[in-house]
mmCIF file of all heavy atoms in Angstrom:
data_model
loop_
_atom_site.group_PDB
_atom_site.id
_atom_site.type_symbol
_atom_site.label_atom_id
_atom_site.label_comp_id
_atom_site.label_asym_id
_atom_site.label_seq_id
_atom_site.Cartn_x
_atom_site.Cartn_y
_atom_site.Cartn_z
ATOM 1 N N VAL A 1155 -13.161 8.871 10.530
ATOM 2 C CA VAL A 1155 -12.416 7.781 11.312
ATOM 3 C C VAL A 1155 -11.228 8.262 12.001
ATOM 4 O O VAL A 1155 -10.044 8.126 11.769
ATOM 5 C CB VAL A 1155 -11.970 6.689 10.339
ATOM 6 C CG1 VAL A 1155 -11.489 5.487 11.051
ATOM 7 C CG2 VAL A 1155 -13.168 6.276 9.429
ATOM 8 N N GLY A 1156 -11.548 9.293 12.865
ATOM 9 C CA GLY A 1156 -10.627 9.712 13.915
ATOM 10 C C GLY A 1156 -10.908 9.067 15.293
ATOM 11 O O GLY A 1156 -11.159 7.830 15.329
ATOM 12 N N VAL A 1157 -10.872 9.842 16.339
ATOM 13 C CA VAL A 1157 -11.228 9.309 17.655
ATOM 14 C C VAL A 1157 -12.785 9.715 17.861
ATOM 15 O O VAL A 1157 -13.479 8.754 18.209
ATOM 16 C CB VAL A 1157 -10.354 9.881 18.720
ATOM 17 C CG1 VAL A 1157 -10.449 11.414 18.909
ATOM 18 C CG2 VAL A 1157 -10.769 9.302 20.093
ATOM 19 N N GLU A 1158 -13.104 10.947 17.501
ATOM 20 C CA GLU A 1158 -14.546 11.358 17.565
ATOM 21 C C GLU A 1158 -14.902 12.260 16.481
ATOM 22 O O GLU A 1158 -14.393 13.371 16.509
ATOM 23 C CB GLU A 1158 -14.918 12.097 18.943
ATOM 24 C CG GLU A 1158 -14.912 10.983 20.125
ATOM 25 C CD GLU A 1158 -15.087 11.776 21.394
ATOM 26 O OE1 GLU A 1158 -14.920 13.017 21.439
ATOM 27 O OE2 GLU A 1158 -15.316 11.185 22.467
ATOM 28 N N PRO A 1159 -15.384 11.883 15.378
ATOM 29 C CA PRO A 1159 -15.919 10.570 15.187
ATOM 30 C C PRO A 1159 -14.808 9.462 14.843
ATOM 31 O O PRO A 1159 -13.726 9.937 14.560
ATOM 32 C CB PRO A 1159 -16.830 10.622 13.856
ATOM 33 C CG PRO A 1159 -16.114 11.755 13.112
ATOM 34 C CD PRO A 1159 -15.566 12.720 14.212
ATOM 35 N N GLY A 1160 -15.148 8.246 14.947
ATOM 36 C CA GLY A 1160 -14.174 7.147 14.479
ATOM 37 C C GLY A 1160 -14.272 6.057 15.655
ATOM 38 O O GLY A 1160 -15.041 5.159 15.608
ATOM 39 N N LEU A 1161 -13.383 6.138 16.638
ATOM 40 C CA LEU A 1161 -13.382 5.143 17.665
ATOM 41 C C LEU A 1161 -14.714 5.160 18.423
ATOM 42 O O LEU A 1161 -15.156 4.152 18.785
ATOM 43 C CB LEU A 1161 -12.222 5.464 18.681
ATOM 44 C CG LEU A 1161 -12.077 4.562 19.828
ATOM 45 C CD1 LEU A 1161 -11.952 3.075 19.416
ATOM 46 C CD2 LEU A 1161 -10.951 4.922 20.669
ATOM 47 N N SER A 1162 -15.316 6.308 18.608
ATOM 48 C CA SER A 1162 -16.673 6.338 19.306
ATOM 49 C C SER A 1162 -17.703 5.639 18.512
ATOM 50 O O SER A 1162 -18.550 4.927 19.080
ATOM 51 C CB SER A 1162 -17.064 7.850 19.461
ATOM 52 O OG SER A 1162 -17.009 8.573 18.193
ATOM 53 N N ASP A 1163 -17.544 5.621 17.199
ATOM 54 C CA ASP A 1163 -18.477 4.853 16.222
ATOM 55 C C ASP A 1163 -18.222 3.317 16.474
ATOM 56 O O ASP A 1163 -19.195 2.658 16.384
ATOM 57 C CB ASP A 1163 -18.356 5.364 14.960
ATOM 58 C CG ASP A 1163 -18.644 6.826 14.787
ATOM 59 O OD1 ASP A 1163 -17.845 7.600 15.273
ATOM 60 O OD2 ASP A 1163 -19.631 7.186 14.159
ATOM 61 N N VAL A 1164 -16.904 3.008 16.403
ATOM 62 C CA VAL A 1164 -16.535 1.669 16.638
ATOM 63 C C VAL A 1164 -17.191 1.108 17.935
ATOM 64 O O VAL A 1164 -17.683 0.038 17.988
ATOM 65 C CB VAL A 1164 -15.073 1.326 16.643
ATOM 66 C CG1 VAL A 1164 -14.739 0.009 17.009
ATOM 67 C CG2 VAL A 1164 -14.558 1.796 15.244
ATOM 68 N N PHE A 1165 -17.064 1.858 18.991
ATOM 69 C CA PHE A 1165 -17.663 1.515 20.312
ATOM 70 C C PHE A 1165 -19.142 1.265 20.187
ATOM 71 O O PHE A 1165 -19.782 0.239 20.799
ATOM 72 C CB PHE A 1165 -17.411 2.582 21.374
ATOM 73 C CG PHE A 1165 -15.917 2.589 21.842
ATOM 74 C CD1 PHE A 1165 -15.493 3.805 22.235
ATOM 75 C CD2 PHE A 1165 -15.260 1.457 22.029
ATOM 76 C CE1 PHE A 1165 -14.186 3.892 22.890
ATOM 77 C CE2 PHE A 1165 -13.962 1.472 22.607
ATOM 78 C CZ PHE A 1165 -13.390 2.736 22.913
ATOM 79 N N ALA A 1166 -19.867 2.134 19.395
ATOM 80 C CA ALA A 1166 -21.229 1.996 19.270
ATOM 81 C C ALA A 1166 -21.660 0.688 18.582
ATOM 82 O O ALA A 1166 -22.639 0.102 19.008
ATOM 83 C CB ALA A 1166 -21.921 3.114 18.447
ATOM 84 N N ARG A 1167 -20.964 0.383 17.507
ATOM 85 C CA ARG A 1167 -21.225 -0.913 16.777
ATOM 86 C C ARG A 1167 -20.833 -2.088 17.667
ATOM 87 O O ARG A 1167 -21.614 -3.094 17.667
ATOM 88 C CB ARG A 1167 -20.455 -0.825 15.403
ATOM 89 C CG ARG A 1167 -20.517 -2.112 14.600
ATOM 90 C CD ARG A 1167 -22.010 -2.434 14.221
ATOM 91 N NE ARG A 1167 -22.121 -3.626 13.362
ATOM 92 C CZ ARG A 1167 -22.014 -3.726 12.062
ATOM 93 N NH1 ARG A 1167 -21.788 -2.500 11.394
ATOM 94 N NH2 ARG A 1167 -22.193 -4.838 11.310
ATOM 95 N N TYR A 1168 -19.771 -2.086 18.375
ATOM 96 C CA TYR A 1168 -19.427 -3.122 19.205
ATOM 97 C C TYR A 1168 -20.488 -3.301 20.421
ATOM 98 O O TYR A 1168 -20.902 -4.481 20.601
ATOM 99 C CB TYR A 1168 -18.156 -2.833 19.975
ATOM 100 C CG TYR A 1168 -17.653 -3.830 21.008
ATOM 101 C CD1 TYR A 1168 -17.083 -5.026 20.590
ATOM 102 C CD2 TYR A 1168 -17.830 -3.600 22.281
ATOM 103 C CE1 TYR A 1168 -16.773 -6.005 21.606
ATOM 104 C CE2 TYR A 1168 -17.474 -4.439 23.349
ATOM 105 C CZ TYR A 1168 -16.962 -5.680 22.961
ATOM 106 O OH TYR A 1168 -16.614 -6.461 23.907
ATOM 107 N N ALA A 1169 -21.035 -2.283 20.896
ATOM 108 C CA ALA A 1169 -21.960 -2.371 21.948
ATOM 109 C C ALA A 1169 -23.271 -2.962 21.388
ATOM 110 O O ALA A 1169 -23.960 -3.811 22.056
ATOM 111 C CB ALA A 1169 -22.333 -0.996 22.436
ATOM 112 N N ALA A 1170 -23.645 -2.657 20.189
ATOM 113 C CA ALA A 1170 -24.864 -3.232 19.577
ATOM 114 C C ALA A 1170 -24.718 -4.658 19.174
ATOM 115 O O ALA A 1170 -25.686 -5.502 19.326
ATOM 116 C CB ALA A 1170 -25.233 -2.412 18.262
ATOM 117 N N GLU A 1171 -23.388 -5.029 18.871
ATOM 118 C CA GLU A 1171 -23.253 -6.449 18.495
ATOM 119 C C GLU A 1171 -23.065 -7.416 19.598
ATOM 120 O O GLU A 1171 -23.472 -8.498 19.629
ATOM 121 C CB GLU A 1171 -22.108 -6.567 17.482
ATOM 122 C CG GLU A 1171 -22.285 -6.124 16.220
ATOM 123 C CD GLU A 1171 -21.190 -6.442 15.260
ATOM 124 O OE1 GLU A 1171 -20.207 -6.950 15.660
ATOM 125 O OE2 GLU A 1171 -21.298 -6.033 14.036
ATOM 126 N N GLU A 1172 -22.478 -6.791 20.666
ATOM 127 C CA GLU A 1172 -21.949 -7.778 21.833
ATOM 128 C C GLU A 1172 -22.421 -7.522 23.164
ATOM 129 O O GLU A 1172 -22.473 -8.306 24.045
ATOM 130 C CB GLU A 1172 -20.402 -7.840 21.858
ATOM 131 C CG GLU A 1172 -19.708 -8.305 20.499
ATOM 132 C CD GLU A 1172 -18.322 -8.692 20.657
ATOM 133 O OE1 GLU A 1172 -17.894 -9.211 21.769
ATOM 134 O OE2 GLU A 1172 -17.628 -8.623 19.593
ATOM 135 N N LEU A 1173 -22.940 -6.276 23.408
ATOM 136 C CA LEU A 1173 -23.415 -5.932 24.770
ATOM 137 C C LEU A 1173 -24.862 -5.627 25.055
ATOM 138 O O LEU A 1173 -25.220 -5.782 26.161
ATOM 139 C CB LEU A 1173 -22.612 -4.620 25.149
ATOM 140 C CG LEU A 1173 -21.045 -4.741 24.991
ATOM 141 C CD1 LEU A 1173 -20.500 -3.237 25.465
ATOM 142 C CD2 LEU A 1173 -20.508 -5.767 25.857
ATOM 143 N N PHE A 1174 -25.606 -5.413 23.873
ATOM 144 C CA PHE A 1174 -26.974 -5.168 24.068
ATOM 145 C C PHE A 1174 -27.905 -6.037 23.111
ATOM 146 O O PHE A 1174 -27.433 -6.240 21.982
ATOM 147 C CB PHE A 1174 -27.253 -3.684 23.868
ATOM 148 C CG PHE A 1174 -26.714 -2.778 24.949
ATOM 149 C CD1 PHE A 1174 -25.327 -2.448 24.889
ATOM 150 C CD2 PHE A 1174 -27.382 -2.386 25.970
ATOM 151 C CE1 PHE A 1174 -24.798 -1.629 25.968
ATOM 152 C CE2 PHE A 1174 -26.890 -1.555 27.062
ATOM 153 C CZ PHE A 1174 -25.617 -1.212 26.977
ATOM 154 N N ASP A 1175 -29.174 -6.132 23.577
ATOM 155 C CA ASP A 1175 -30.209 -6.691 22.702
ATOM 156 C C ASP A 1175 -30.935 -5.466 21.983
ATOM 157 O O ASP A 1175 -31.223 -5.502 20.885
ATOM 158 C CB ASP A 1175 -31.124 -7.640 23.430
ATOM 159 C CG ASP A 1175 -30.491 -8.832 23.868
ATOM 160 O OD1 ASP A 1175 -29.494 -9.393 23.186
ATOM 161 O OD2 ASP A 1175 -30.700 -9.390 25.056
ATOM 162 N N GLU A 1176 -31.338 -4.505 22.845
ATOM 163 C CA GLU A 1176 -32.028 -3.254 22.430
ATOM 164 C C GLU A 1176 -31.283 -2.105 23.044
ATOM 165 O O GLU A 1176 -30.894 -2.090 24.093
ATOM 166 C CB GLU A 1176 -33.450 -3.402 22.712
ATOM 167 C CG GLU A 1176 -34.262 -4.331 22.099
ATOM 168 C CD GLU A 1176 -35.779 -4.268 22.447
ATOM 169 O OE1 GLU A 1176 -36.127 -3.347 23.176
ATOM 170 O OE2 GLU A 1176 -36.570 -5.009 21.892
ATOM 171 N N ILE A 1177 -31.185 -0.984 22.155
ATOM 172 C CA ILE A 1177 -30.495 0.251 22.617
ATOM 173 C C ILE A 1177 -31.438 1.356 22.786
ATOM 174 O O ILE A 1177 -32.096 1.622 21.764
ATOM 175 C CB ILE A 1177 -29.246 0.465 21.729
ATOM 176 C CG1 ILE A 1177 -28.177 -0.558 21.943
ATOM 177 C CG2 ILE A 1177 -28.679 1.887 22.186
ATOM 178 C CD1 ILE A 1177 -27.031 -0.349 21.053
ATOM 179 N N GLU A 1178 -31.528 2.012 23.865
ATOM 180 C CA GLU A 1178 -32.366 3.202 24.047
ATOM 181 C C GLU A 1178 -31.641 4.435 23.562
ATOM 182 O O GLU A 1178 -32.183 5.170 22.810
ATOM 183 C CB GLU A 1178 -32.899 3.304 25.489
ATOM 184 C CG GLU A 1178 -33.719 4.560 25.682
ATOM 185 C CD GLU A 1178 -33.962 4.671 27.216
ATOM 186 O OE1 GLU A 1178 -34.129 3.493 27.882
ATOM 187 O OE2 GLU A 1178 -34.308 5.749 27.648
ATOM 188 N N GLU A 1179 -30.394 4.555 23.999
ATOM 189 C CA GLU A 1179 -29.613 5.789 23.730
ATOM 190 C C GLU A 1179 -28.216 5.486 23.594
ATOM 191 O O GLU A 1179 -27.553 4.753 24.348
ATOM 192 C CB GLU A 1179 -29.871 6.940 24.560
ATOM 193 C CG GLU A 1179 -29.189 8.099 24.231
ATOM 194 C CD GLU A 1179 -29.324 9.376 25.145
ATOM 195 O OE1 GLU A 1179 -30.343 9.338 25.879
ATOM 196 O OE2 GLU A 1179 -28.730 10.432 24.876
ATOM 197 N N ILE A 1180 -27.585 6.107 22.488
ATOM 198 C CA ILE A 1180 -26.089 6.113 22.321
ATOM 199 C C ILE A 1180 -25.700 7.562 22.462
ATOM 200 O O ILE A 1180 -26.087 8.381 21.694
ATOM 201 C CB ILE A 1180 -25.632 5.569 20.985
ATOM 202 C CG1 ILE A 1180 -26.049 4.070 20.800
ATOM 203 C CG2 ILE A 1180 -24.213 5.711 20.794
ATOM 204 C CD1 ILE A 1180 -25.967 3.616 19.522
ATOM 205 N N GLY A 1181 -24.912 7.780 23.502
ATOM 206 C CA GLY A 1181 -24.343 9.202 23.701
ATOM 207 C C GLY A 1181 -22.868 9.211 23.770
ATOM 208 O O GLY A 1181 -22.359 8.657 24.700
#
Side-chain angles (χ1 to χ4, degrees):
V1155 190
V1157 60
E1158 292 172 341
L1161 179 57
S1162 51
D1163 304 65
V1164 171
F1165 283 149
R1167 178 63 179 265
Y1168 174 78
E1171 287 192 357
E1172 301 198 24
L1173 304 179
F1174 290 85
D1175 297 322
E1176 292 186 357
I1177 295 177
E1178 179 181 335
E1179 182 170 350
I1180 296 171

